[in-house]
Amino acid sequence: MAGRTTALSLDARRRGGGLEVDSFYHLGDTPMEGKLCTGLGCFAARGLNLQRWNLAVGQQPRVYCLGRCFSAPSCSDDPEEPLIEVRCRRPIILEGMADGSIRSLAGYGGYRALAMAREMGAKGVLDEIDRSQLRGRGGAGFPAGRKWRSVFEQPDPVKYVVANADEGDHGSYIDKTVIEYAPHRLLEAMAIAALAVGAAKGIVYLRKEYPLAFHRLVAAVDEARSAGLLGEAFDVEIVVGRGSYVCGEETSLLNSIEHRRPEVRVRPPYPTESGLFGKPTLVSNVETLSNAPWIIQNGGDAYAAMGFSRSRGTKAISLSSLFNRPGVYEIEFGMSLRTIVEELGGGLKTGSLKALIVGGPLAGLIHPSELDVRFGFEEMQAIGASVGHGGIV
């Protein structure tokens, strides 16, 4: 069974190839063992271990984010694990993850939300996602209900659900943590989404720099298949990237799965209309999808009761190693950046704060005078910043 999980078996993926495709990737078949990171989080923290940073700079090919920003400057072989802490009223994404007890299917407790979704039917599931006011957690903040419903409304009998696990924004290791500590939460969420939009096939596009996440996800898929939770009505396969930042963008990611040049597609048409292999496709990042089981079990209204303004529910954030308490935290939208920096992060290990980067370098720098801004989509945009994926350097 594990062999079925390790590579996408669609014949169309084998089309093309060659230098015009391979040249877009910088890692290829490079093994990840013993690799040092030269990502932005590690650059910012280079003073904590200058010798390791200098070795990383000389390493070829360079690796730009291992998703170990909590121990930056990091090495892929470090045994340290991130702090995982819930700092909201009702945990959703990080629920049960802190002690590692829900990595297996037995610990996770079965797919109860999926059973409920089957009873509700596609339209019932879509209604709950709409009520939740869930917005995409990958950076754009697009309403999830509108995206799901757009795929549902397409008449094509062949549809796909794609989980974007190529979180390339430096400082972000949220999706990696979810997959490593709660892989069945993602798989159940994908099955719920597939039921809602009418898809029979799911694909996880996983960042190559996350080998542990890959192994744990393979084990979870095999467990779910053996239990009859995946396989016939809906199945999931895994595609591992080869090192390309642009594949974090959804249409480049789809091209990569098809083994085409991973370039951004012109839109429209959008993936919901013409996505993977020209079929209607729901593409969402891991955290966005992973909200679905809780919403189905507790109701969209309960989800929307958390958060503030137009940013409802909770958000996972990841703090880099320059904080005294680096790790993954689940918070409600509306918490101030100052609270995140000073209370959750415990301030900085060394020196004074000069700036924050939230959600990747494209979001710009946040000055210390702006720390009283509340963490929300529109509120961050108002200061020229972004919620992004939630990584904080």
Side-chain angles (χ1 to χ4, degrees), residues 131-148:
R131 291 191 190 101
S132 73
Q133 301 179 50
L134 173 67
R135 296 170 66 173
R137 302 311 198 226
F142 189 82
R146 284 173 56 188
K147 183 183 279 192
W148 288 36

Side-chain angles (χ1 to χ4, degrees), residues 37-187:
C37 184
T38 58
L40 180 62
C42 289
F43 171 77
R46 63 196 184 280
L48 299 180
N49 192 327
L50 192 57
Q51 181 180 15
R52 174 175 283 186
W53 171 255
N54 289 335
L55 290 171
V57 170
Q59 169 188 265
Q60 295 297 327
R62 287 194 183 184
V63 176
Y64 290 99
C65 194
L66 293 168
R68 300 187 60 82
C69 315
F70 56 89
S71 62
S74 62
C75 174
S76 60
D77 295 341
D78 285 343
E80 183 181 352
E81 296 190 356
L83 170 68
I84 299 174
E85 189 170 295
V86 172
R87 296 297 293 266
C88 54
R89 288 176 290 172
R90 303 182 69 180
I92 297 173
I93 299 300
L94 303 186
E95 183 178 15
M97 286 172 49
D99 61 2
S101 63
I102 60 172
R103 291 176 185 168
S104 68
L105 181 59
Y108 185 66
Y111 290 13
R112 294 185 297 272
L114 177 59
M116 293 177 64
R118 287 171 176 160
E119 293 180 2
M120 296 164 61
K123 291 185 178 180
V125 171
L126 291 171
D127 287 344
E128 292 302 331
I129 299 298
D130 279 336
R131 291 191 190 101
S132 73
Q133 301 179 50
L134 173 67
R135 296 170 66 173
R137 302 311 198 226
F142 189 82
R146 284 173 56 188
K147 183 183 279 192
W148 288 36
R149 199 171 290 277
S150 178
V151 180
F152 168 78
E153 291 172 348
Q154 303 305 312
D156 199 309
V158 178
K159 300 176 183 179
Y160 296 98
V161 171
V162 175
N164 182 348
D166 193 64
E167 56 178 348
D169 283 339
H170 304 234
S172 298
Y173 49 98
I174 296 160
D175 291 349
K176 174 178 181 287
T177 303
V178 171
I179 292 173
E180 290 181 357
Y181 286 83
H184 287 285
R185 181 161 291 152
L186 171 62
L187 296 179

Side-chain angles (χ1 to χ4, degrees), residues 136-359:
R137 302 311 198 226
F142 189 82
R146 284 173 56 188
K147 183 183 279 192
W148 288 36
R149 199 171 290 277
S150 178
V151 180
F152 168 78
E153 291 172 348
Q154 303 305 312
D156 199 309
V158 178
K159 300 176 183 179
Y160 296 98
V161 171
V162 175
N164 182 348
D166 193 64
E167 56 178 348
D169 283 339
H170 304 234
S172 298
Y173 49 98
I174 296 160
D175 291 349
K176 174 178 181 287
T177 303
V178 171
I179 292 173
E180 290 181 357
Y181 286 83
H184 287 285
R185 181 161 291 152
L186 171 62
L187 296 179
E188 183 180 29
M190 292 179 70
I192 291 169
L195 184 153
V197 304
K201 187 75 174 181
I203 297 151
V204 180
Y205 188 93
L206 181 64
R207 190 170 177 78
K208 180 180 176 67
E209 293 88 339
Y210 293 174
L212 178 59
F214 171 74
H215 291 301
R216 289 184 177 172
L217 190 57
V218 167
V221 170
D222 289 342
E223 277 190 306
R225 284 178 179 159
S226 297
L229 297 168
L230 294 178
E232 292 188 18
F234 176 71
D235 203 8
V236 173
E237 295 195 47
I238 304 165
V239 172
V240 177
R242 292 187 289 158
S244 174
Y245 178 79
V246 74
C247 287
E249 192 278 329
E250 62 180 10
T251 62
S252 298
L253 180 152
L254 296 176
N255 281 346
S256 183
I257 294 174
E258 295 178 16
H259 206 55
R260 297 163 58 194
R261 290 157 67 111
E263 298 174 309
V264 177
R265 298 181 185 179
V266 176
R267 289 170 285 189
Y270 293 91
T272 56
E273 304 164 287
S274 178
L276 189 63
F277 303 117
K279 300 298 183 179
T281 304
L282 174 65
V283 186
S284 289
N285 82 318
V286 170
E287 184 187 355
T288 308
L289 286 165
S290 296
N291 285 279
W294 194 97
I295 291 170
I296 296 304
Q297 286 188 287
N298 297 275
D301 290 336
Y303 187 90
M306 293 182 281
F308 90 121
S309 184
R310 293 176 57 195
S311 303
R312 313 310 306 180
T314 69
K315 178 74 185 79
I317 59 174
S318 52
L319 305 187
S320 70
S321 64
L322 281 179
F323 291 94
N324 279 308
R325 301 184 71 247
V328 181
Y329 297 82
E330 184 170 5
I331 65 171
E332 285 189 41
F333 281 106
M335 182 178 287
S336 72
L337 292 177
R338 187 175 305 280
T339 299
I340 292 171
V341 170
E342 297 178 359
E343 294 186 21
L344 272 62
L348 301 188
K349 290 178 179 176
T350 179
S352 59
L353 178 68
K354 295 182 176 65
L356 288 181
I357 294 178
V358 180

